[in-house]
Amino acid sequence: MILENKYQQLTIHPERKSWDLVNYIDHAPSIRGSELAINYHLDSNIYTVPNEWDSLSLNRVDTQDTSHGRCQMMDIEFPPDTNGISVRLKFALAEAHPLILWKFAIENIGVKPVQLGRIYLLQVNGKGISTHKASEKHRSMLTNLDGEPTFFSNGWGSWDYSGIYQPKDHFRRTRLGPITTPMRVNAGTPQPKNRGHFSSDMFAVVGDRVKRGGLLAGFLSQKQHFGSLETMLDRQGSALRMWANGDGAQLRPGTSIETDWACLQPLDLDSPTPLDPYLDAVAREHGIDDKSVVNLKSSDYTGWCSWYHFYTDIQEEDVRRNIKKILDLRQDMPLNIVQIDDGYEKRVGDWLDIKPTFTNGMAQLAEEIRDEGLIPGIWLAPFIVDPRSQLARNHPDWLIRGRFNRPANAGYSFWGRFTSGLDLTHPDALEYTQDVAYTAAHRWGFPYLKLDFLYAAAIPGTRHDQTKSRAQVLRMGLKALRKAVGEQVTLLGCGCPLGSAIGIVDAMRIGPDVDGHWLPNLYGLQALLKNEPGLPSARNAIHNTLTRAFMHRRWWINDPDCLLLSPDTDLNIHEVRSLATTIALSGGSLLLSDDLPELPQERLEIARSLLPLMQEQPQVMDWFDSAMPSRIRMDLENPCGIWHLFAHFNWLDEPQDVNISMPDYGLDPKSTYLGREYWTGRLEQSVDGMFTMCSIPAHGVVIWAVRKNTPGAFQYLGSDMHISQGLEVSKFESDSGSARIWLQRPGNVDGNVVLSLPGVPIEARLNDLPCKWQVEDLPNCFKFMLKFRNQGLLNVRY
Ligand code: 9PG
């Protein structure tokens, strides 16, 4: 039994009860002897299906049109086991994409309900996990990973560490146990302790850093189950397991369930966008065909958030002072959203009970914000409950239950208690969350909702409806919130298992909270916490912004969390610039979160230089090669031509001299390039495809605007007005002996632009007044000093 396209060949071996997958993409790992198994419980026994491979029946449908294009389909039916559990296995091999998809349909035609456990869709044991029948020849494993096997692990939720591991590494587990585990760990995903043993959620990539081939394994959605993956990396044969978590949900007689599609995609690690076939398939699976999913389509996704300066001490007056500052800054630095974060509510859970420090109530404040032409936004955590809330007291039956029928632990929060999760299968609890979201959006008037701590609906425990998996409950809850507020309201997911929200939210937090400390430093415990992967810190936030950059504009708008600019934090100026550069290059939202009236002008200028936003998806060059990626490329184009931004970060604790080498960013070293570095203004011409000896401070960054050198031509090389060093140009023209550049910036500008000219300037005028220039270090390069308001026309004769 074989399915084949130009990328892959799948062979099913009923006599071995396993299947093989050979990938034709160069050096991509292949799979030998993968087994399938569905575990379920009945009367405290564990059973495994399918096992009757001798009497399976094969229904082969040659090709079918699906949402993933034409697919070769194969349908295998296993006879029911003694308890009446019958299984169908469907394979679909896409003709136009390097994707093989498969899923189980499980039906209970028996007389007793069973509880589903792990549903293994892929299981090769490699060298590390020994099996009884493991003769060398039939050992099941991933092959072709004998160079430097590497694993990309995706964290479960918004805050959770995502990044690569090698055989010598340890998985980054939290050491804070029940305090934080429910918030950050999918209960179905193991947190391995041994070297070379790793896990992941929803999808993962295994690849060989030397051979440059890889294989993505994952699920196209998390509508039915949370998917988990586990590997043991070994040059001689790696293990990989992938399963859907049945969560012990009941499958009652006469009912059936289909898993989400499992998927394998071979890939070339050196392709600029290696994960695209998978990312696009996931988007299609959720009805996202248009790549811009956000509701804030016409305006920039910019604003201010109250959290990282005021925390829960926020008062109405603080919001008002910040609105006033936003209005004062409007001409120079337009911000759109005013988002009130946690702290206005009396207790988490009692969302309609507002603190007296919000004297006039939320509707009034929203109206004030709207009247100023700004977008009011508000934070809600509709699925988590503070046990001291009225909600918990009045409706104990709305809480997910754990051991001894006590409320299940949803993690410890700085609200000062272990929290609980709402049981969304209780119709009244679900209706309450819908009413809360509707009230915030439509009675109070906040068209932008930050929905936080969403994982709390998906913690393990007992619910009213015992037939639902945790993933089904969360998906249902998120859809109910979307339905309650309508399509026009912008939803930002946070603290959310990523897969559950695709196609529902407009934007998603993809990393831990930012913080005024470089490393986690909760309660001053830096020494203890510095390796905690998900705790608030600038480094942790930056890390995931880089490692999850590829999700941007495929599944939602990435939210890299806020930019902290204040000189009063523990971050030095280089760290602030690294944060600003990462956020700018994420292509996602930009929210400031300082007390704006207190910010010194030179720090505000940093934010100003990021506006308007560059909304492109960045390319993180070394996402599979460094645990903390350091090189980003973004390609830009406008009337001043085509150019690239190359960022290089120095994550070491001491300064570093680096060469910015064109091939490292995918450019041809044989051409010569002109580059201008944004933060220092340094100008360089490449020698042998390199800008050499670029010194970068500890935790700092350089960001070069790189343009192909066209000798004898008139060229724009950059400016100190915008981090892109080019998007400030709205029109550009030249003829023999003169050139004109139209510049567009909000407000008053006092800056400079650098040009390369075919000759020496004879005269330069800005908006018809004479302007000064200066010779730069590179031949034919000149810097023009400009002062204008909103628009500047620079006219140069040479
Ligand atoms: C408001 C904050 C902000 C922030 C969110 C989220 O482990 N914890 O106790 C924990 C607390 C806060 C937190 C994440 C984890 O942050 O990411 O932007 O909205 O809630 O309470």
Side-chain angles (χ1 to χ4, degrees):
M1 286 184 242
I2 291 179
L3 291 181
E4 187 172 25
N5 67 9
K6 61 181 183 221
Y7 310 102
Q8 293 170 301
Q9 184 200 62
L10 170 84
T11 313
I12 301 185
H13 300 280
E15 75 291 353
R16 273 176 20 202
K17 302 186 180 186
S18 69
W19 51 277
D20 297 342
L21 184 79
V22 176
N23 286 309
Y24 298 142
I25 287 187
D26 271 354
H27 304 302
S30 287
I31 291 176
R32 197 160 84 199
S34 171
E35 297 182 358
L36 297 157
I38 300 165
N39 296 333
Y40 70 87
H41 289 245
L42 173 62
D43 300 334
S44 59
N45 294 315
I46 301 179
Y47 298 87
T48 301
V49 282
N51 35 41
E52 298 292 316
W53 287 72
D54 310 331
S55 43
L56 56 82
S57 65
L58 176 72
N59 308 316
R60 183 166 179 160
V61 186
D62 270 343
T63 51
Q64 265 178 32
D65 284 319
T66 74
S67 58
H68 305 288
R70 282 183 86 70
C71 289
Q72 297 173 36
M73 314 286 283
M74 187 156 66
D75 213 290
I76 300 172
E77 219 172 302
F78 296 88
D81 71 353
T82 50
N83 299 314
I85 301 304
S86 106
V87 174
R88 270 171 46 208
L89 177 61
K90 297 187 200 180
F91 282 97
L93 184 68
E95 291 193 340
H97 311 286
L99 293 173
I100 177 132
L101 311 177
W102 74 109
K103 64 159 71 174
F104 274 125
I106 310 163
E107 191 178 358
N108 185 349
I109 55 174
V111 292
K112 289 184 172 176
V114 302
Q115 288 181 292
L116 292 173
R118 284 187 179 184
I119 303 167
Y120 283 100
L121 289 128
L122 190 164
Q123 198 172 12
V124 292
N125 292 319
K127 239 192 135 230
I129 306 172
S130 65
T131 58
H132 41 286
K133 57 185 167 195
S135 87
E136 200 50 43
K137 203 167 130 215
H138 287 301
R139 179 166 272 157
S140 67
M141 61 169 74
L142 286 176
T143 60
N144 213 359
L145 284 167
D146 47 350
E148 274 187 46
T150 305
F151 185 75
F152 178 85
S153 164
N154 176 51
W156 186 41
S158 303
W159 303 316
D160 307 327
Y161 187 89
S162 299
I164 56 132
Y165 295 103
Q166 297 209 276
K168 61 174 186 349
D169 296 331
H170 289 281
F171 187 66
R172 290 180 175 253
R173 323 162 59 228
T174 170
R175 288 196 274 171
L176 300 179
I179 292 177
T180 169
T181 300
M183 295 185 170
R184 304 179 195 284
V185 178
N186 172 8
T189 306
Q191 304 290 295
K193 286 186 180 152
N194 295 333
R195 257 180 227 285
H197 192 180
F198 312 111
S199 67
S200 184
D201 283 282
M202 188 174 170
F203 68 91
V205 180
V206 272
D208 190 316
R209 256 156 65 168
V210 179
K211 295 180 155 183
R212 309 306 295 164
L215 181 67
L216 178 143
F219 292 89
L220 292 193
S221 58
Q222 305 276 265
K223 295 177 183 176
Q224 306 302 339
H225 303 108
F226 290 121
S228 302
L229 299 99
E230 186 181 15
T231 190
M232 297 266 274
L233 288 187
D234 190 312
R235 276 178 195 80
Q236 266 99 53
S238 294
L240 185 65
R241 294 170 170 173
M242 171 156 101
W243 66 92
N245 291 287
D247 295 331
Q250 279 184 359
L251 187 67
R252 297 197 169 144
T255 64
S256 63
I257 186 170
E258 280 195 2
T259 64
D260 298 292
W261 284 113
C263 150
L264 287 168
Q265 181 221 314
L267 54 93
D268 169 3
L269 287 172
D270 290 327
S271 139
T273 50
L275 306 183
D276 269 12
Y278 172 70
L279 298 169
D280 289 344
V282 170
R284 284 193 297 270
E285 198 67 13
H286 294 85
I288 308 169
D289 23 322
D290 168 6
K291 279 181 186 159
S292 65
V293 276
V294 77
N295 263 322
L296 298 160
K297 282 179 190 88
S298 52
S299 53
D300 270 354
Y301 194 162
T302 61
W304 174 79
C305 158
S306 63
W307 182 248
Y308 297 95
H309 179 83
F310 295 100
Y311 296 97
T312 49
D313 274 341
I314 184 73
Q315 307 195 359
E316 191 176 301
E317 262 325 296
D318 301 319
V319 179
R320 211 167 270 131
R321 279 190 307 107
N322 276 278
I323 297 171
K324 181 165 180 306
K325 184 69 186 183
I326 289 170
L327 296 175
D328 292 347
L329 288 169
R330 188 175 241 177
Q331 299 305 317
D332 291 350
M333 197 179 112
L335 297 175
N336 291 315
I337 301 163
V338 175
Q339 188 239 303
I340 301 163
D341 213 282
D342 189 3
Y344 65 89
E345 76 285 358
K346 271 205 188 131
R347 285 252 189 271
V348 166
D350 299 336
W351 298 105
L352 308 181
D353 210 355
I354 306 304
K355 276 191 193 151
T357 43
F358 282 78
T359 330
N360 298 308
M362 304 318 282
Q364 162 84 35
L365 192 51
E367 192 180 323
E368 277 175 44
I369 296 169
R370 228 180 9 253
D371 284 350
E372 300 294 357
L374 300 168
I375 301 169
I378 196 158
W379 176 91
L380 285 173
F383 299 161
I384 197 169
V385 184
D386 180 333
R388 293 166 297 180
S389 62
Q390 293 296 327
L391 176 75
R393 258 182 256 154
N394 297 343
H395 302 286
D397 55 326
W398 291 7
L399 304 181
I400 301 166
R401 295 281 149 179
R403 278 204 290 173
F404 313 118
N405 204 33
R406 294 172 42 95
N409 171 25
Y412 186 86
S413 158
F414 56 87
W415 307 311
R417 286 292 160 96
F418 282 97
T419 56
S420 316
L422 268 193
D423 174 4
L424 301 184
T425 71
H426 193 302
D428 297 341
L430 185 67
E431 203 184 306
Y432 170 71
T433 67
Q434 286 187 292
D435 184 52
V436 165
Y438 180 86
T439 300
H442 300 295
R443 295 202 184 95
W444 294 347
F446 290 90
Y448 175 98
L449 304 182
K450 174 176 175 182
L451 301 175
D452 204 348
F453 291 85
L454 297 171
Y455 74 89
I459 58 170
T462 309
R463 293 173 175 78
H464 281 77
D465 181 348
Q466 297 182 16
T467 67
K468 297 264 186 303
S469 71
R470 295 179 297 126
Q472 286 173 326
V473 174
L474 179 57
R475 181 89 189 163
M476 183 265 299
L478 292 172
K479 276 164 86 170
L481 293 185
R482 169 55 87 189
K483 184 154 175 258
V485 299
E487 288 300 321
Q488 294 312 309
V489 169
T490 298
L491 297 181
L492 164 64
C494 188
C496 185
L498 294 190
S500 299
I502 303 172
I504 298 175
V505 298
D506 302 285
M508 177 63 95
R509 255 288 279 292
I510 40 77
D513 288 15
V514 73
D515 190 76
H517 294 93
W518 186 247
L519 297 176
N521 193 20
L522 231 49
Y523 310 111
L525 296 174
Q526 195 181 89
L528 209 66
L529 300 177
K530 68 174 195 283
N531 291 322
E532 275 293 320
L535 286 189
S537 81
R539 184 212 48 194
N540 284 357
I542 289 173
H543 177 272
N544 268 31
T545 303
L546 298 175
T547 59
R548 281 174 164 172
F550 54 79
M551 294 174 182
H552 180 55
R553 280 190 170 265
R554 299 283 160 154
W555 295 354
W556 43 54
I557 300 297
N558 273 9
D559 169 12
D561 208 12
C562 298
L563 173 59
L564 304 186
L565 290 169
S566 165
D568 302 332
T569 71
D570 248 31
L571 302 176
N572 65 37
I573 185 65
H574 305 297
E575 293 165 337
V576 170
R577 286 175 179 172
S578 286
L579 186 61
T581 305
T582 315
I583 292 172
L585 288 177
S586 77
S589 53
L590 171 68
L591 268 74
L592 309 185
S593 195
D594 294 294
D595 190 17
L596 298 179
E598 299 294 315
L599 275 186
Q601 188 58 32
E602 78 268 13
R603 294 293 174 109
L604 283 169
E605 289 296 332
I606 295 179
R608 226 181 137 196
S609 72
L610 311 187
L611 297 173
L613 301 181
M614 306 181 281
Q615 300 178 38
E616 263 47 59
Q617 193 190 53
Q619 204 181 320
V620 179
M621 306 308 297
D622 53 345
W623 73 278
F624 205 75
D625 293 281
S626 318
M628 183 78 179
S630 60
R631 280 181 284 121
I632 309 186
R633 163 177 167 172
M634 191 179 263
D635 298 335
L636 296 168
E637 183 175 2
N638 80 349
C640 74
I642 292 175
W643 75 106
H644 317 280
L645 297 182
F646 293 172
H648 192 123
F649 296 89
N650 170 21
W651 302 128
L652 302 179
D653 296 331
E654 66 250 29
Q656 198 189 5
D657 285 330
V658 301
N659 297 331
I660 303 294
S661 147
M662 300 304 137
D664 280 351
Y665 292 87
L667 290 195
D668 179 4
K670 290 199 273 313
S671 303
T672 53
Y673 300 89
L674 296 171
R676 184 177 179 279
E677 202 280 315
Y678 182 72
W679 298 111
T680 56
R682 180 171 154 188
L683 203 60
E684 283 287 329
Q685 176 166 342
S686 66
V687 178
D688 299 329
M690 255 187 244
F691 304 141
T692 48
M693 292 301 283
C694 206
S695 77
I696 316 179
H699 305 170
V701 63
V702 287
I703 174 166
W704 290 86
V706 178
R707 292 166 163 95
K708 207 164 171 175
N709 185 18
T710 350
F714 167 55
Q715 261 187 300
Y716 193 82
L717 297 186
S719 81
D720 60 0
M721 297 173 195
H722 188 263
I723 193 162
S724 67
Q725 303 204 61
L727 291 183
E728 63 279 13
V729 177
S730 59
K731 199 170 156 196
F732 194 84
E733 48 178 58
S734 67
D735 44 50
S736 63
S738 80
R740 282 160 302 284
I741 301 164
W742 283 259
L743 296 154
Q744 200 155 24
R745 292 294 295 154
N748 290 322
V749 176
D750 182 355
N752 60 64
V753 303
V754 179
L755 305 174
S756 151
L757 298 175
V760 177
I762 303 165
E763 188 192 16
R765 299 178 81 82
L766 178 76
N767 290 343
D768 261 343
L769 296 171
C771 94
K772 291 210 175 89
W773 72 84
Q774 179 178 302
V775 179
E776 286 276 351
D777 276 346
L778 282 187
N780 303 322
C781 292
F782 306 90
K783 176 155 91 184
F784 297 82
M785 274 64 89
L786 313 177
K787 275 192 190 175
F788 63 90
R789 189 172 165 73
N790 298 330
Q791 298 202 333
L793 167 57
L794 174 64
N795 204 324
V796 184
R797 284 203 306 123
Y798 47 86

